[in-house]
């Protein structure tokens, strides 16, 4: 069963740059799959992470994505992927499977993601807290309706013959 764990994070409109954003969303994993599968879960694993931007902006963006308080990924360029990159980069979704050079995972965050997915198998009330914190730079004004959207693609194995 496919699951998409994700959220969009608003970049505030501003007449000047830089402008920061920092938003947190908690997602109850059981809301992402059909209720009839909850007691039949055998395993859950992630297979890709996608980042995309919505809205048009001539500036740049860098961000950090956290899961349950652990850094999961930096979005940007440079040695640690923290240098802002053109917003237009994210008009085409960037993915790990697509070998994006502007996404860099962090081992502790990947472990936190795996732990949450493993916990979901035994506890259907498991939730994850996703946080995006970043900055828009390089061009003023920052228009309204910009969002950084982040999706974790996962697969849940279920037993259909129980």
């Amino acid at each position: 069963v496919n699951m998409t764990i994700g959220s969009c994070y608003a970049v505030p409109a501003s007449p000047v740059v830089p402008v920061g954003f920092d938003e947190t969303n908690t997602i109850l994993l059981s809301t992402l799959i059909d209720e009839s599968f909850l007691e039949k879960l055998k395993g859950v694993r992630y297979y890709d992470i996608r980042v995309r931007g919505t809205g048009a902006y001539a500036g740049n963006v860098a961000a950090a994505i956290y899961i349950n308080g652990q850094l999961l990924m930096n979005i940007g360029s440079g040695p640690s992927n923290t240098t802002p990159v053109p917003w237009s980069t994210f008009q085409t979704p960037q993915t790990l499977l697509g070998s994006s050079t502007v996404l860099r995972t962090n081992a502790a965050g990947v472990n936190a993601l795996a732990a949450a997915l493993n916990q979901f198998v035994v506890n259907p009330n498991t939730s994850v807290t996703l946080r995006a914190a970043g900055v828009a730079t390089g061009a003023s004004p920052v228009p309204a309706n910009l969002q950084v959207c982040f999706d974790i693609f996962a697969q849940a194995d279920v037993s259909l013959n129980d």
Side-chain angles (χ1 to χ4, degrees):
V1 177
N2 289 323
M3 298 172 55
T4 302
I5 307 163
S7 191
C8 289
Y9 303 90
V11 178
S14 175
V16 296
V17 292
V19 62
F21 59 95
D22 191 336
E23 189 175 340
T24 301
N25 291 307
T26 299
I27 300 166
L28 183 64
L29 296 180
S30 63
T31 63
L32 304 177
I33 66 170
D34 187 284
E35 186 178 316
S36 66
F37 294 133
L38 289 177
E39 293 183 15
K40 299 176 182 182
L41 287 174
K42 300 299 178 194
V44 183
R45 66 196 162 279
Y46 89 96
Y47 63 91
D48 200 7
I49 299 174
R50 174 181 69 189
V51 179
R52 60 188 168 82
T54 64
Y57 176 49
N60 304 314
V61 65
I65 304 293
Y66 298 84
I67 184 164
N68 295 342
Q70 291 289 324
L71 175 65
L72 176 61
M73 172 181 290
N74 282 322
I75 301 166
S77 65
S80 59
N81 287 70
T82 56
T83 303
V85 294
W87 179 265
S88 60
T89 304
F90 300 99
Q91 296 303 297
T92 301
Q94 301 293 303
T95 68
L96 292 179
L97 281 177
S99 300
S100 175
T101 60
V102 297
L103 306 178
R104 175 180 279 188
T105 58
N106 177 52
V110 171
N111 290 339
L113 171 58
L117 296 177
N118 289 333
Q119 180 64 29
F120 180 47
V121 173
V122 296
N123 179 1
N125 294 316
T126 300
S127 62
V128 295
T129 301
L130 298 177
R131 175 180 167 229
V135 63
T137 66
S140 295
V142 177
N145 302 316
L146 294 183
Q147 292 184 317
V148 174
C149 298
F150 174 75
D151 296 305
I152 300 167
F153 295 105
Q155 291 180 326
D157 298 327
V158 296
S159 175
L160 298 177
N161 295 323
D162 286 350

